[in-house]
Amino acid sequence: MTIFITPSLATTTYASRLQRVKSPGGIEAWLLEDHTLPVLWTSFCFRGGAAFDPEGKPGAAALLGSMLTESVGDLNAGGFQRRLDEKAIHLSFRVGRETLHGSLRTLTQNVDEAFDLLGMAVSDPAFQQLDFERTHARHAASLRMGMAQPDRVAQQVFDAIAFAGHPFSRPASGCYETIGSVELSDVVALHSRMIARHNLEIVAVGALGADAFVAALDRAFSQLPVSAEASVLPAPFLSLGEEVLTHLDSPQSTMIFGRPCISVDDPDFMAAKVVNHCLGGGTFSSRLFYRTA
């Protein structure tokens, strides 16, 4: 027997369960309630990201993301991680060009503690010097390894040329040659520039009702300041038609090419993302992969 589920039916089913919620403290989010598993997945981001790195100090925002799961409040780094592990709570942060993104996964029965710990991470990081030195050394080692990776080197060269003069020209993770100039004070300053309620976007999926979810939102985010700097200037796309060859002592070759595309506020933007994913953006799930494999 073959069962077909039409896209329109699947879309209608999810759309009927997706709701926009607002907490008593004014925190807004999207919630898709699903009780298939007793788990809640929450994804959130603060606008800003690596575009806010100080001039000449790329990688500061990436270090900020790493520092948010070190010592927080009155807990040292080890104590904070133990609190997470004891309740099987997963909390992580990563930095992109325009966002500081966070991910929280927890059993529904542990939602209160999970959002308490999340709140401590974003609103009360201790920013201890020893934590920073350990995080900095680990990050610098990763950047040094990246200098021998063709994909990473090619992307950095492409960005430096295509977005010359704009913050997007700098690698979001930083540069090994300059990461030593990033100090703890730079990380602390970025926290105050980005982490605020007004530039926060939240989406959650899982076995939790709207009333319990909005209460959890206030547990995590109500202590944050209302506003912070969050605007990023539009990025020009330069050097069209230019061909650049960079030599690296590696048997692997990487090619990156690009051109201007439609704006994120274009009504066809999401349709274009779907087409891109189907044709080549999904790697193993793309049509291009299966036609050439």
Side-chain angles (χ1 to χ4, degrees):
M1 180 176 63
T2 303
I3 300 176
F4 294 97
I5 301 177
T6 66
S8 59
L9 177 60
T11 302
T12 301
T13 300
Y14 280 110
S16 64
R17 289 153 45 197
L18 183 64
Q19 52 186 316
R20 183 76 168 174
V21 298
K22 186 174 182 178
S23 74
I27 309 297
E28 297 186 11
W30 288 99
L31 171 65
L32 178 61
E33 190 173 346
D34 186 334
H35 292 266
T36 305
L37 295 172
V39 179
L40 181 72
W41 289 268
T42 304
S43 180
F44 58 94
C45 69
F46 297 93
R47 292 188 297 275
F52 279 15
D53 280 342
E55 187 66 33
K57 297 184 177 183
L63 287 170
L64 169 61
S66 298
M67 290 289 290
L68 295 181
T69 51
E70 295 291 330
S71 300
V72 300
D74 57 357
L75 296 173
N76 61 26
F80 183 64
Q81 290 299 324
R82 282 192 296 273
R83 287 278 297 274
L84 294 171
D85 293 343
E86 287 169 358
K87 298 295 184 179
I89 298 167
H90 171 79
L91 174 63
S92 64
F93 295 89
R94 59 181 174 81
V95 171
R97 281 174 168 171
E98 297 180 85
T99 59
L100 169 61
H101 178 267
S103 178
L104 176 69
R105 184 177 68 247
T106 179
L107 293 170
T108 308
Q109 67 189 41
N110 297 327
V111 161
D112 286 350
E113 181 159 5
F115 277 77
D116 282 340
L117 292 172
L118 169 58
M120 293 170 64
V122 296
S123 64
D124 193 22
F127 291 127
Q128 296 291 331
Q129 182 65 36
L130 288 177
D131 291 340
F132 175 74
E133 292 173 0
R134 182 178 62 255
T135 301
H136 190 284
R138 184 171 61 242
H139 191 71
S142 176
L143 291 175
R144 185 172 184 178
M145 290 177 59
M147 295 172 66
Q149 297 174 357
D151 288 356
R152 185 178 294 189
V153 173
Q155 187 65 61
Q156 290 179 1
V157 173
F158 179 89
D159 292 344
I161 296 172
F163 304 111
H166 189 275
F168 286 1
S169 66
R170 308 187 298 252
S173 58
C175 301
Y176 178 72
E177 297 85 354
T178 59
I179 195 65
S181 65
V182 180
E183 301 176 347
L184 179 58
S185 58
D186 299 314
V187 174
V188 176
L190 277 179
H191 181 270
S192 63
R193 291 183 65 192
M194 284 193 293
I195 308 297
R197 281 179 277 169
H198 93 289
N199 63 331
L200 173 63
E201 301 288 343
I202 309 169
V203 176
V205 179
L208 198 67
D211 291 342
F213 181 57
V214 296
L217 290 177
D218 277 348
R219 297 180 79 98
F221 301 113
S222 62
Q223 300 302 313
L224 294 177
V226 174
S227 62
E229 182 181 353
S231 60
V232 179
L233 295 174
F237 195 89
L238 309 173
S239 303
L240 287 174
E242 184 175 353
E243 184 177 302
V244 178
L245 180 63
T246 300
H247 294 281
L248 188 67
D249 186 14
S250 170
Q252 179 182 347
S253 296
T254 297
M255 180 175 69
I256 294 180
F257 54 90
R259 54 160 295 156
C261 66
I262 60 178
S263 171
V264 293
D265 55 6
D266 190 289
D268 290 328
F269 179 77
M270 289 308 300
K273 282 186 68 72
V274 172
V275 170
N276 179 71
H277 180 85
C278 292
L279 295 179
T283 311
F284 292 104
S285 62
S286 71
R287 294 190 180 188
L288 182 63
F289 175 83
Y290 284 107
R291 287 294 298 272
T292 58

